[in-house]
Amino acid sequence: MELQGNIQSTMMTRHQKAEIMIAGEQLRLRLHDSKLIKDRRHHLRTYPNCFVAQELIDWLIAHKEVPDRETAVPLMQHLMDHDIIHHVCDKWPVFKDAQYLYRFRKDDGTFPFNIEVKIFMRGQRLYEHLITSKDSILQLRQEKGVAYDRSFPGYMLIDWLLQNGEIESRRQGLDLCKALLEHGIIQHVSLKHHFFDSGLLYQFCINFRWRRRLSELLHETENEEVECITHQSQEDQAGSPFTMHKTSPPEGNSDFLSVLKRRVTCEELLSPGAPYVKRVLTILGDALGWGFVVRGKSPCYVQAVDPASPAAAAGIKVRQFVCRVNGCSVLHLDYRTLSKVVMTGPRVVTLEVMEPLD
């Protein structure tokens, strides 16, 4: 059964919420390690496990999570809007760059544990158990001739849940797995089916261990258009869907910039006589990833390429438009969905791109 559009939209929204929760929790743990979160006294009262807004912003800038204070404020407001942090007295509904005290809701027990959060935490716990298991069911498997890393048949996940006491019946396991899929925790490898107790292959579509870049949270709320010219440094891209290599590009290297000056439609791209040439490129990813970044939608384009990456070696260039991934059309996808297709697929990626002739 094909996934309905509204289910896919709901999955994407929930996936974005999951990313925010993961990023927020990773930030909370790092701030505890840095001793920024601690008991503080204000007006003869002690507030446990809190931080000072100005000190936090100083820390974010020092650790290159944000370029400046103007970026940090809306970022932290984003976490407030999603109930990750709040003012210690709930006096201020907005985040202010001042000597105000804020706290992570997880540190004072006010985090809203609704059904979505509970399913997310269940999925995270299952992921950690499966990824560290000696005989993990997450293996390289094939479906319709395409290999998918860390994938598992639906029936095998239910078998595992039963054997480990996570569920009491296959019916209960099926309901749990459907909920995990609908909440963006797992997905069918080619995004074509809901969850079935069968041999269809599925994958976790969230890497809970991958450290998120806080700057990416703001990108999730922006309406990315192809005509936008986005200039981002390698530090900004370190947490983007396609991992960039750590080799810094030379100062002023235009290959690291998107230079689309106008919108290009799918119809224009495929029209006879259009000034584009089709290329089929195969990228063998390494331990750091593939080394390029995509942005835009309908069609997506290559925004940045690491000169020392597998992508550069394969011939991936800035301003190429991505038409197919491993034989599947992605022409009408947005960059977030395209990123998921690549990230959850095999390490060897075959891209069909349209490259400008000029």
Side-chain angles (χ1 to χ4, degrees):
M1 179 186 296
E2 295 285 335
L3 282 174
Q4 299 299 316
N6 60 339
I7 295 180
Q8 289 181 323
S9 177
T10 301
M11 285 173 58
M12 183 61 68
T13 299
R14 287 169 170 170
H15 179 81
Q16 291 171 4
K17 289 182 178 179
E19 290 295 319
I20 293 169
M21 283 192 287
I22 295 172
E25 177 62 7
Q26 290 177 347
L27 176 61
R28 185 183 74 89
L29 295 175
R30 292 176 68 195
L31 293 178
H32 272 289
D33 290 341
S34 299
K35 309 301 182 185
L36 254 69
I37 295 178
K38 57 186 177 182
D39 297 351
R40 299 173 185 270
R41 287 187 63 81
H42 182 66
H43 290 171
L44 302 179
R45 181 178 174 181
T46 299
Y47 295 90
N49 293 323
C50 58
F51 59 87
V52 178
Q54 285 184 342
E55 292 181 8
L56 171 63
I57 293 178
D58 291 341
W59 185 92
L60 292 173
I61 295 173
H63 287 77
K64 298 183 180 180
E65 289 289 352
V66 294
D68 49 47
R69 309 189 81 83
E70 290 71 24
T71 304
V73 171
L75 173 62
M76 299 312 297
Q77 183 64 49
H78 198 48
L79 295 184
M80 284 193 75
D81 294 341
H82 286 82
D83 290 323
I84 305 298
I85 64 173
H86 68 126
H87 182 261
V88 291
C89 299
D90 289 320
K91 184 177 181 180
W92 304 107
V94 296
F95 188 87
K96 296 189 176 183
D97 183 3
Q99 290 291 316
Y100 293 153
L101 299 180
Y102 293 85
R103 184 188 290 131
F104 281 82
R105 289 189 177 275
K106 201 166 183 181
D107 281 332
D108 62 10
T110 61
F111 190 78
F113 284 94
N114 55 30
I115 185 64
E116 288 190 11
V117 173
K118 290 178 180 178
I119 291 175
F120 168 79
M121 295 183 71
R122 184 88 180 267
Q124 184 175 22
R125 183 168 59 82
L126 292 176
Y127 175 86
E128 291 294 339
H129 195 161
L130 287 166
I131 207 75
T132 57
S133 176
K134 182 178 180 180
D135 299 314
S136 177
I137 65 172
L138 307 183
Q139 301 286 341
L140 179 65
R141 306 176 193 275
Q142 286 194 0
E143 184 170 290
K144 294 186 176 180
V146 179
Y148 298 94
D149 195 20
R150 292 183 177 177
S151 60
F152 53 87
Y155 78 88
M156 193 173 290
L157 178 57
I158 294 180
D159 288 346
W160 183 91
L161 292 170
L162 282 168
Q163 293 166 6
N164 287 271
E166 294 284 347
I167 54 174
E168 297 180 354
S169 65
R170 299 197 76 83
R171 179 71 244 182
Q172 189 181 59
L174 182 59
D175 291 342
L176 171 60
C177 293
K178 284 184 175 180
L180 291 174
L181 185 143
E182 291 170 3
H183 283 77
I185 307 299
I186 63 174
Q187 66 183 20
H188 178 251
V189 290
S190 59
L191 310 179
K192 291 183 177 180
H193 300 281
H194 209 304
F195 189 89
F196 290 95
D197 185 0
S198 69
L200 289 173
L201 291 184
Y202 299 87
Q203 292 173 313
F204 280 86
C205 45
I206 297 178
N207 185 340
F208 292 94
R209 294 186 166 189
W210 170 42
R211 189 170 79 79
R212 273 65 177 175
R213 280 284 178 182
L214 293 174
S215 57
E216 285 295 309
L217 296 183
L218 293 179
H219 298 324
E220 294 298 321
T221 63
E222 295 173 356
N223 181 21
E224 293 275 346
E225 295 291 341
V226 174
E227 65 266 31
C228 291
I229 302 177
T230 306
H231 291 187
Q232 290 182 311
S233 69
Q234 185 172 335
E235 285 291 338
D236 295 328
Q237 294 296 349
S240 61
F242 301 139
T243 305
M244 302 299 289
H245 281 223
K246 296 181 186 281
T247 304
S248 298
E251 190 76 22
N253 186 349
S254 62
D255 285 345
F256 248 70
L257 306 179
S258 167
V259 289
L260 294 182
K261 298 180 180 178
R262 65 179 183 84
R263 180 179 178 82
V264 177
T265 65
C266 296
E267 291 72 20
E268 177 185 353
L269 201 62
L270 301 177
S271 63
Y276 301 95
V277 59
K278 181 173 73 174
R279 300 186 64 189
V280 179
L281 307 170
T282 299
I283 312 171
L284 176 59
D286 60 17
L288 294 177
W290 295 273
F292 70 106
V293 176
V294 292
R295 282 295 183 265
K297 61 181 179 180
S298 300
C300 296
Y301 63 94
V302 178
Q303 182 202 50
V305 182
D306 185 338
S309 70
I316 296 295
K317 301 177 182 178
V318 172
R319 297 176 61 207
Q320 289 175 336
F321 295 92
V322 185
C323 299
R324 290 180 175 273
V325 174
N326 295 328
C328 298
S329 175
V330 295
L331 200 58
H332 296 282
L333 300 183
D334 60 49
Y335 79 91
R336 298 185 185 93
T337 307
L338 173 57
S339 299
K340 288 178 64 179
V341 171
V342 175
M343 287 293 292
T344 58
R347 179 61 65 181
V348 179
V349 179
T350 300
L351 298 184
E352 180 181 304
V353 301
M354 297 296 283
E355 181 177 312
L357 289 175
D358 56 344

